[in-house]
């Protein structure tokens, strides 16, 4: 069975964290979802792309979370969350997942 791409893990952490916080009305629970997915993605980023790439992608994940708040005031909560999740997913795919896929195809 193929591994779930890190792009999906990271995007799911951002979207899932917001959804859990909103629907449970417990921000800490949403934060836990966000943190667990971020940690899982970071660990895989490090294995797939190295420490520097993992650090940059982790910073992008945290920046996306923080940036979604002011962006939500302009475009709405869900569009903001989906926008930043898409941006992090794209970066994750470009830096980590694409490399893994390329190596698997060459093997």
């Amino acid at each position: 069975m193929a591994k779930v791409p890190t792009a999906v893990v990271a995007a799911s952490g951002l979207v899932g964290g917001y959804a859990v916080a909103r629907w449970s009305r417990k921000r800490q629970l949403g934060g836990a979802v966000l943190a667990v997915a971020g940690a899982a993605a970071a660990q895989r980023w490090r294995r797939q792309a190295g420490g520097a790439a993992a650090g940059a992608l982790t910073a992008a994940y945290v920046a996306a979370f923080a940036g979604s708040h002011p962006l939500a005031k302009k475009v709405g909560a869900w569009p903001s969350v989906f926008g930043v999740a898409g941006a992090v997913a794209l970066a994750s795919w470009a830096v980590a997942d694409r490399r893994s896929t390329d190596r698997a195809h060459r093997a």
Side-chain angles (χ1 to χ4, degrees), residues 12-43:
S12 296
L14 290 160
V15 173
Y18 175 69
V20 167
R22 181 171 178 140
W23 288 318
S24 72
R25 298 181 192 257
K26 296 187 184 332
R27 292 177 69 179
Q28 299 86 349
L29 192 55
V33 170
L34 179 83
V36 167
Q43 184 178 31

Side-chain angles (χ1 to χ4, degrees), residues 9-104:
V9 174
S12 296
L14 290 160
V15 173
Y18 175 69
V20 167
R22 181 171 178 140
W23 288 318
S24 72
R25 298 181 192 257
K26 296 187 184 332
R27 292 177 69 179
Q28 299 86 349
L29 192 55
V33 170
L34 179 83
V36 167
Q43 184 178 31
R44 297 247 326 267
W45 288 329
R46 187 179 50 73
R47 273 198 313 259
Q48 290 175 210
L57 288 169
T58 300
Y61 185 81
V62 172
F65 168 69
S68 69
H69 292 82
L71 182 59
K73 292 179 181 181
K74 296 180 188 255
V75 300
W78 281 112
S80 172
V81 170
F82 285 129
V84 300
V88 168
L90 181 60
S92 181
W93 175 82
V95 173
D97 295 333
R98 182 176 63 176
R99 288 177 161 191
S100 288
T101 304
D102 288 347
R103 271 182 260 169

